Amino acid sequence: MKMNHEKAISLPNFSSSLFTIHLLLLFCLICLTQLPTSTVSAALILRHYSNETDRIALLDFMHRISNDPLNSWNHSQHHCRWQGVSCGRRHHRVVALRLPMKGLVGTISPHIGNLTFLRDLNLSSNTLSGHIPGQIGRLFRLRYLDLSANTLTGELVAANLSNCVHLRKIIVSQNGLSGKLPTNLSTLKKLQSLELNKNQFTGGIPSAFGNFSSLQLLFLEINHLQGSIPREITQCWNLNVLYLGLNNLTGKLSSAFFNMTSIIEFSITDNSLQGTIPASIGDTMPNLEGFFVSGNKFHGTIPISFPNASKLQFLDLSANYFVGKVPGVIPSEIGNLQKLQLLTLGKIPSTLYNLTSLAALSIRDSNLYGNIPPDVKNFRNLNAMLLSSNRLSGTIPQQVFDLQSLSKSLDLSNNSFTGQLSPAVGKLKTLNTLDISRNKSSGRIPEAIGDCLSLEVLYMNDNLFEGKIPPSLISLKSITYLDISNNKLTGEIPRELQKLHLLQYLDLSFNDLEGEVPTVGVFAVATNVSLLGNKKLCGGIPELKLPPCPAKKTQHRKHPKIIVVVFACVSVALIFASFLAFLILHYCKKNDKSKEFSEKSTNLNLSKISYSYLHCATEGFNETNLIGSGSFGSVYKGRFQQGGEQIVAVKVLDLCKKGASKSFLAECKVLRNIRHRNLVPILTCCSSCDLMGNEFKALVYEFMENGDLDTWLHPHSDGERTNVLSALQRLNISIDVASALDYLHNDCEPPVIHCDLKPSNILLDKDLTAHVGDFGLSRLYSRTIGDSSGKSSTLGLKGFIGYIAPEYGMGANATTCGDVYSYGIFLLEMFTEKRPTYDFSSDGCSSLSEYVETALPHEVMKIVDPVLLACQESSNHGIRGKEQLKNPGKLVEIEESKMDDFFISVFKIGLCCASRSPMERGNMKDVCRELHKIRNAFFV
């Protein structure tokens, strides 16, 4: 067997040459036959490897998502069938990854760059964070990229998107991306849409953006971009929409911008752009549908060719410096814009009412005056009318309520409308929001208000409405917010209001309501209802802290005998008449005595403490105890020893000064009957003689540990700033002072006018709570109609320069409006650190009000007290010591993006109060409310 095997093996070696040739041919044939099979196997292996690469990249993407919303991404099915994944039919490679609004939390995997066939990547509206991975730059086939509405950070240049030469759309808006705009994006010749808005990009707009030859949409608004808008952008011949608003752009616009015939929407709102708008804009931009340039510094007249822009639907030219008289500011031809749907202007011509297609009319805070004309009925398609914060007057015309197209909002608040509210208001059956607050409307609230069945928000506060709350309000089943506070409403609270299940907040405060308060529905939560200022209410839930309602007396059964009933009634009547006669006689006697007593009451009440006791308490009025001096005397620190040591402030009147005695009497008269947490409490007084027999008068107050506000706001004579208040502390102090004035003006009878409000008359206790003091110039104000005096005869008018209302200089009587003016100046001083007597000529201004008004809104941070923006709060009482003032940090505990809004809001209130016209100043109750809103919006 072995031998045969060896022969079999060695057989070919002894074969003929022909056999060898046949063998070679057979081998070649076999190789040729097997070749296609090998090639197919290699292709299959390569495809499998590529698909596996895509799958691994997707798995790594999923592993970087901290939550698990991608339940379908598992090994039970092919990755091309996973949620949001799309593959090509030919190669089965991933060509699209679309996962918008899936709640993804985590970071973007850099392995996403291995999806080399990817053409569409959409991860918008999630909570993805971190940087945009640079590996995205490998996706040269990518056409659409949408990473908007996430929390991505870092610089966009790191992604190197310039390699994605096929990109047509980039959306990375609403993130936290920073740095300068990348210039290398300009190589993307096929890019049609670039949306980088709502980020934190800085620097200027690159001139290289003019190379976007295919670009149609460019959104760069709401960033921190600076500098001028490069003229090169006008080379984007296909640009249809350009949004650059809400940045810090400056300079003038090149005239070439207004020759871009392809532009449909143009928005550059809220920048500091200057110059004029060409008169031919309507001719050179025939496709224009939206033109938004509000909040800039454009001047001149509004272009007269706007009506030639026949497609224009949205026009916003407000908050600029256009000049001329009505109708010179707005050309009358604007009435030809029949397609206009949104109009926001400063002043308007009568031709406005030709705009019958108008869907929204917004002319707020524009100093409009006069009546709403009947022509308003022409707005047949209007769904929102916003005319708040103007000077409109007269009654609200019925034609407004005839606009049954009004479905979104009717806002006529903060005007001077008078008269009764027409029952025609019930025609607005589809209206969502009605606001007629802060007007002078009077009469009863019409029952027809209950016919506005779609109302969700109703504000009728701060008017003169009277009578009972209409029960028809129960018909407003959709109402969520209802405010009818600060009126003259009477009667009981309709119990049906507790059945409004959607009602979230109800404000009935400062009326004259009475009776029992319900306890269910909106009344079940104390924070959801406000009932302040209704002294006759009772009951309710314990958190409202209302007095309990008196027990209802059970009625006795009527006696069956009519004679007995008549006899009882007559007896009661006789007893009542006798008792009434006794009261009248007693009152007459008491009144005679009270007149005599009132003349002596002042002198009787002034001798409550002796001179010797005050002399001992102040160590002989030693200069070491001298706290300060004022208009009519000096203030000493004293110590009372009776019942434990008590530190007090003793104000000693210098009776040699003219008016000092009257100041003493005025302050005693005012402070005798008023009590408020933000007024300096008076403890006692002294009217006696000193050791030399001279007349002596003094007032004793509670001692305030932190002194007066003036020392906190302004440096000492050596220039050092030892005390610093944070923005919140200043706001709290401003609210304290406003609350005190509101009490004096609106809750005292008769009202009290302070007449000398300034920082040095505002004292701070150990908790930095403000207390208004020094009532030496105050006077009692008569509300009686026909009282020409408008004042008591206590004292001639005085005050401090800079805080005195302008009308006082022309001989006007003291009114509460004068205090409001002083408060406005005080509020501006609080946040600018500038005294009203400061020389503003270097800033081109003549007063503190003009100095602030000139800076609003775009340069507001230039006028804010610089210490607020450069110091760090070291304690709850501000900063003490110049060493600490050098530390970097903040005294404004607000997000940087909201700082401007905070200071603008405060300064606007100050300017309103400090208006030269008394009629334009606010009421202190309104001022308190607005300041509380600011504190809640920025600090709570």
Side-chain angles (χ1 to χ4, degrees), residues 393-447:
S393 57
T395 57
I396 302 174
Q398 179 176 332
Q399 288 81 358
V400 171
F401 305 125
D402 290 337
L403 298 174
Q404 299 185 28
S405 59
L406 285 173
S407 59
K408 293 183 179 179
S409 179
L410 174 59
D411 188 354
L412 305 178
S413 62
N414 203 20
N415 280 285
S416 299
F417 290 113
T418 57
Q420 296 187 359
L421 183 63
S422 172
V425 68
K427 295 181 180 180
L428 302 177
K429 298 183 183 301
T430 61
L431 188 64
N432 180 273
T433 299
L434 175 60
D435 190 350
I436 57 172
S437 60
R438 295 185 294 281
N439 280 287
K440 300 176 183 177
S441 297
S442 57
R444 294 179 176 270
I445 298 176
E447 289 282 347

Coordinates of all heavy atoms in Angstrom, one line a residue, residues 393-447:
S393 N -58.3 110.4 25.2 CA -59.3 110.8 26.1 C -60.7 110.6 25.5 O -60.8 110.0 24.5 CB -59.0 112.3 26.5 OG -59.0 113.1 25.3
G394 N -61.7 111.2 26.2 CA -63.1 111.0 25.8 C -63.5 109.6 26.2 O -62.9 108.8 26.9
T395 N -64.7 109.3 25.8 CA -65.3 107.9 26.0 C -64.7 106.9 25.0 O -64.4 107.3 23.9 CB -66.8 107.9 26.0 OG1 -67.2 108.4 24.7 CG2 -67.4 108.8 27.1
I396 N -64.7 105.7 25.4 CA -64.3 104.7 24.4 C -65.5 104.5 23.4 O -66.6 104.1 23.9 CB -64.0 103.3 25.1 CG1 -62.9 103.5 26.1 CG2 -63.6 102.3 24.1 CD1 -62.6 102.3 27.0
P397 N -65.3 104.8 22.1 CA -66.5 104.8 21.2 C -67.0 103.4 21.0 O -66.3 102.4 21.1 CB -65.9 105.4 19.9 CG -64.4 105.1 20.0 CD -64.1 105.1 21.5
Q398 N -68.3 103.4 20.8 CA -69.0 102.1 20.5 C -68.5 101.4 19.3 O -68.5 100.2 19.2 CB -70.5 102.4 20.4 CG -71.3 101.1 20.1 CD -72.8 101.3 20.1 OE1 -73.3 102.3 20.7 NE2 -73.5 100.5 19.3
Q399 N -67.9 102.2 18.3 CA -67.4 101.6 17.1 C -66.3 100.6 17.4 O -66.0 99.7 16.6 CB -66.9 102.7 16.2 CG -68.0 103.5 15.5 CD -68.6 104.6 16.4 OE1 -68.2 104.7 17.6 NE2 -69.5 105.4 15.9
V400 N -65.5 100.9 18.5 CA -64.5 99.9 18.9 C -65.1 98.5 19.2 O -64.6 97.5 18.8 CB -63.7 100.4 20.1 CG1 -62.7 99.4 20.6 CG2 -62.9 101.7 19.7
F401 N -66.2 98.6 19.9 CA -66.8 97.3 20.3 C -67.6 96.6 19.2 O -68.0 95.5 19.3 CB -67.7 97.5 21.5 CG -67.0 98.2 22.7 CD1 -67.5 99.4 23.2 CD2 -65.9 97.6 23.2 CE1 -66.9 100.0 24.3 CE2 -65.2 98.2 24.3 CZ -65.7 99.4 24.8
D402 N -67.8 97.4 18.1 CA -68.5 96.9 16.9 C -67.5 96.0 16.1 O -67.9 95.3 15.2 CB -69.1 98.0 16.1 CG -70.3 98.6 16.7 OD1 -70.9 98.0 17.6 OD2 -70.6 99.8 16.4
L403 N -66.2 96.1 16.4 CA -65.2 95.3 15.7 C -65.2 93.9 16.2 O -64.4 93.5 17.0 CB -63.8 96.0 15.8 CG -63.7 97.4 15.3 CD1 -62.3 97.9 15.7 CD2 -63.9 97.4 13.8
Q404 N -66.2 93.1 15.7 CA -66.3 91.8 16.2 C -65.2 90.9 15.7 O -65.0 89.7 16.2 CB -67.6 91.2 15.7 CG -68.8 92.0 16.3 CD -70.2 91.4 15.9 OE1 -70.3 90.2 15.8 NE2 -71.2 92.2 15.8
S405 N -64.3 91.4 14.9 CA -63.1 90.6 14.5 C -62.0 90.6 15.6 O -61.1 89.8 15.5 CB -62.5 91.2 13.2 OG -62.1 92.6 13.4
L406 N -62.2 91.5 16.6 CA -61.2 91.5 17.6 C -61.3 90.2 18.4 O -62.2 89.9 19.1 CB -61.5 92.7 18.6 CG -61.1 94.1 18.1 CD1 -61.6 95.2 19.0 CD2 -59.6 94.2 17.9
S407 N -60.2 89.4 18.3 CA -60.2 88.1 19.0 C -59.0 88.0 19.9 O -59.0 87.2 20.8 CB -60.2 87.0 17.9 OG -59.0 87.1 17.1
K408 N -57.9 88.7 19.6 CA -56.7 88.5 20.5 C -56.6 89.5 21.6 O -56.6 89.0 22.8 CB -55.4 88.7 19.6 CG -55.3 87.6 18.5 CD -54.0 87.8 17.7 CE -53.8 86.6 16.7 NZ -52.6 86.8 15.9
S409 N -56.6 90.7 21.4 CA -56.4 91.7 22.5 C -56.9 93.1 22.1 O -56.8 93.5 21.0 CB -54.9 91.8 22.8 OG -54.7 92.7 23.9
L410 N -57.5 93.7 23.1 CA -57.9 95.1 23.1 C -57.3 95.8 24.3 O -57.8 95.5 25.4 CB -59.4 95.3 23.1 CG -60.0 96.7 23.2 CD1 -59.4 97.5 22.0 CD2 -61.5 96.7 23.2
D411 N -56.3 96.5 24.1 CA -55.5 97.1 25.2 C -55.6 98.6 25.1 O -54.9 99.2 24.2 CB -54.0 96.7 25.2 CG -53.3 97.1 26.4 OD1 -53.8 97.9 27.2 OD2 -52.1 96.7 26.5
L412 N -56.4 99.3 25.9 CA -56.5 100.7 25.9 C -56.1 101.3 27.3 O -56.4 102.4 27.7 CB -58.0 101.1 25.7 CG -58.7 100.6 24.4 CD1 -60.1 101.0 24.4 CD2 -57.9 101.0 23.2
S413 N -55.2 100.5 28.0 CA -54.8 100.9 29.3 C -53.9 102.1 29.4 O -53.3 102.5 28.4 CB -54.1 99.7 30.0 OG -52.9 99.4 29.3
N414 N -53.9 102.7 30.6 CA -53.0 103.8 30.8 C -53.2 105.0 29.9 O -52.3 105.5 29.3 CB -51.5 103.4 30.8 CG -50.6 104.3 31.6 OD1 -51.0 105.0 32.4 ND2 -49.3 104.2 31.3
N415 N -54.5 105.4 29.7 CA -54.8 106.6 29.0 C -55.7 107.5 29.9 O -55.6 107.4 31.1 CB -55.6 106.2 27.7 CG -54.6 105.8 26.6 OD1 -54.0 106.6 26.0 ND2 -54.5 104.5 26.3
S416 N -56.5 108.3 29.3 CA -57.4 109.2 30.1 C -58.8 109.1 29.6 O -59.5 110.1 29.6 CB -56.9 110.6 30.0 OG -55.6 110.8 30.5
F417 N -59.3 107.9 29.3 CA -60.6 107.7 28.9 C -61.6 108.0 30.1 O -61.3 107.6 31.2 CB -60.8 106.3 28.4 CG -60.2 106.0 27.0 CD1 -59.1 105.1 26.9 CD2 -60.6 106.6 25.9 CE1 -58.5 104.9 25.7 CE2 -60.0 106.4 24.7 CZ -58.9 105.5 24.6
T418 N -62.7 108.6 29.8 CA -63.7 108.9 30.8 C -65.0 108.4 30.4 O -65.2 107.7 29.4 CB -63.8 110.5 31.0 OG1 -64.1 111.0 29.7 CG2 -62.4 111.0 31.4
G419 N -66.0 108.7 31.2 CA -67.4 108.3 30.9 C -67.7 106.8 31.2 O -66.8 106.1 31.7
Q420 N -68.9 106.4 30.9 CA -69.3 105.0 31.2 C -68.8 104.1 30.1 O -68.7 104.4 28.9 CB -70.8 104.9 31.4 CG -71.3 105.8 32.5 CD -72.8 105.5 32.8 OE1 -73.5 104.8 32.1 NE2 -73.3 106.2 33.8
L421 N -68.6 102.8 30.5 CA -68.2 101.8 29.6 C -69.5 101.3 28.9 O -70.5 100.9 29.5 CB -67.6 100.6 30.3 CG -67.1 99.5 29.4 CD1 -66.0 100.0 28.5 CD2 -66.5 98.3 30.3
S422 N -69.5 101.4 27.5 CA -70.7 101.0 26.8 C -71.1 99.6 26.9 O -70.2 98.7 26.9 CB -70.5 101.4 25.3 OG -71.5 100.9 24.5
P423 N -72.4 99.3 27.1 CA -72.8 97.9 27.1 C -72.5 97.1 25.8 O -72.5 95.9 25.8 CB -74.3 98.0 27.3 CG -74.6 99.3 27.9 CD -73.5 100.2 27.3
A424 N -72.1 97.9 24.7 CA -71.7 97.2 23.5 C -70.5 96.4 23.6 O -70.2 95.6 22.7 CB -71.5 98.3 22.4
V425 N -69.8 96.5 24.7 CA -68.6 95.7 25.0 C -69.0 94.2 24.9 O -68.1 93.4 24.6 CB -68.0 96.0 26.3 CG1 -68.9 95.6 27.5 CG2 -66.6 95.4 26.5
G426 N -70.2 93.9 25.1 CA -70.7 92.5 25.1 C -70.6 91.9 23.7 O -70.7 90.7 23.5
K427 N -70.4 92.7 22.7 CA -70.3 92.2 21.3 C -69.0 91.5 21.0 O -68.9 90.7 20.1 CB -70.5 93.3 20.3 CG -71.9 94.0 20.3 CD -71.9 95.1 19.3 CE -73.3 95.8 19.3 NZ -73.4 96.9 18.3
L428 N -68.0 91.7 21.9 CA -66.7 91.1 21.7 C -66.7 89.7 22.2 O -66.0 89.4 23.2 CB -65.6 92.0 22.3 CG -65.6 93.4 21.9 CD1 -64.5 94.2 22.7 CD2 -65.3 93.5 20.4
K429 N -67.4 88.8 21.5 CA -67.6 87.5 22.1 C -66.4 86.6 21.9 O -66.3 85.5 22.5 CB -68.9 86.9 21.4 CG -70.2 87.6 21.7 CD -71.4 87.0 21.1 CE -72.6 87.8 21.3 NZ -72.9 88.0 22.7
T430 N -65.5 86.9 21.0 CA -64.4 86.1 20.7 C -63.1 86.7 21.3 O -62.0 86.1 21.0 CB -64.2 85.8 19.2 OG1 -64.0 87.1 18.5 CG2 -65.4 85.1 18.6
L431 N -63.2 87.8 22.0 CA -62.0 88.5 22.5 C -61.3 87.7 23.6 O -62.0 87.2 24.5 CB -62.3 89.9 23.0 CG -61.2 90.8 23.4 CD1 -60.3 91.1 22.2 CD2 -61.7 92.1 24.0
N432 N -60.0 87.6 23.6 CA -59.2 86.9 24.6 C -58.8 87.8 25.7 O -58.8 87.4 26.9 CB -58.0 86.2 23.9 CG -57.2 85.4 24.9 OD1 -56.3 86.0 25.6 ND2 -57.4 84.1 25.0
T433 N -58.3 89.0 25.5 CA -57.8 89.9 26.5 C -58.4 91.3 26.4 O -58.3 91.8 25.3 CB -56.2 90.0 26.4 OG1 -55.7 88.7 26.6 CG2 -55.7 90.9 27.5
L434 N -58.9 91.8 27.5 CA -59.5 93.1 27.5 C -58.8 93.9 28.6 O -58.9 93.5 29.8 CB -61.0 93.1 27.7 CG -61.7 94.5 27.9 CD1 -61.4 95.4 26.7 CD2 -63.1 94.3 28.2
D435 N -58.1 95.0 28.3 CA -57.4 95.8 29.3 C -57.8 97.2 29.2 O -57.4 97.9 28.2 CB -55.9 95.6 29.2 CG -55.1 96.2 30.3 OD1 -55.7 96.9 31.1 OD2 -53.9 96.0 30.4
I436 N -58.6 97.8 30.1 CA -58.9 99.2 30.1 C -58.5 99.8 31.4 O -59.1 100.8 31.9 CB -60.4 99.4 29.9 CG1 -61.2 98.7 30.9 CG2 -60.8 99.0 28.5 CD1 -62.7 99.0 30.9
S437 N -57.5 99.2 32.0 CA -57.0 99.7 33.4 C -56.3 101.0 33.3 O -55.9 101.5 32.2 CB -56.0 98.7 33.9 OG -54.9 98.5 33.1
R438 N -56.2 101.7 34.4 CA -55.6 103.0 34.6 C -56.1 104.0 33.6 O -55.4 104.7 32.9 CB -54.0 102.8 34.4 CG -53.4 102.0 35.5 CD -51.9 101.9 35.4 NE -51.5 101.2 34.2 CZ -51.5 99.9 34.1 NH1 -51.8 99.1 35.0 NH2 -51.1 99.3 32.9
N439 N -57.4 104.2 33.7 CA -58.1 105.3 33.0 C -59.0 106.0 34.0 O -58.8 105.9 35.2 CB -58.9 104.7 31.8 CG -58.1 104.4 30.6 OD1 -57.7 105.3 29.9 ND2 -57.8 103.1 30.3
K440 N -60.0 106.7 33.5 CA -60.9 107.4 34.4 C -62.4 107.1 34.1 O -63.3 107.9 34.2 CB -60.7 108.9 34.3 CG -59.3 109.4 34.6 CD -59.1 110.9 34.4 CE -57.6 111.3 34.7 NZ -57.4 112.7 34.4
S441 N -62.6 105.8 33.6 CA -63.9 105.4 33.3 C -64.7 105.3 34.6 O -64.2 104.9 35.6 CB -63.9 104.0 32.6 OG -63.2 104.1 31.3
S442 N -66.0 105.6 34.5 CA -66.9 105.7 35.7 C -68.2 104.9 35.4 O -68.4 104.3 34.4 CB -67.1 107.2 36.0 OG -67.7 107.8 34.9
G443 N -69.1 105.1 36.4 CA -70.4 104.4 36.3 C -70.3 103.0 36.7 O -69.3 102.5 37.3
R444 N -71.3 102.2 36.4 CA -71.3 100.8 36.8 C -70.7 100.0 35.7 O -70.7 100.3 34.5 CB -72.8 100.4 36.9 CG -73.5 101.0 38.1 CD -74.9 100.5 38.3 NE -75.6 101.1 39.4 CZ -75.6 100.5 40.6 NH1 -75.0 99.3 40.8 NH2 -76.1 101.1 41.7
I445 N -70.1 98.9 36.1 CA -69.6 97.9 35.1 C -70.8 97.2 34.5 O -71.7 96.7 35.1 CB -68.7 96.8 35.9 CG1 -67.5 97.5 36.5 CG2 -68.3 95.8 34.9 CD1 -66.7 96.5 37.3
P446 N -70.9 97.3 33.1 CA -72.1 96.8 32.5 C -72.3 95.3 32.6 O -71.3 94.6 32.6 CB -71.9 97.2 31.0 CG -70.4 97.4 30.9 CD -69.9 97.9 32.2
E447 N -73.5 94.9 32.8 CA -73.8 93.5 32.9 C -73.4 92.7 31.6 O -73.1 91.6 31.6 CB -75.3 93.3 33.1 CG -75.8 93.6 34.5 CD -75.5 92.6 35.5 OE1 -75.1 91.5 35.1 OE2 -75.6 92.9 36.7

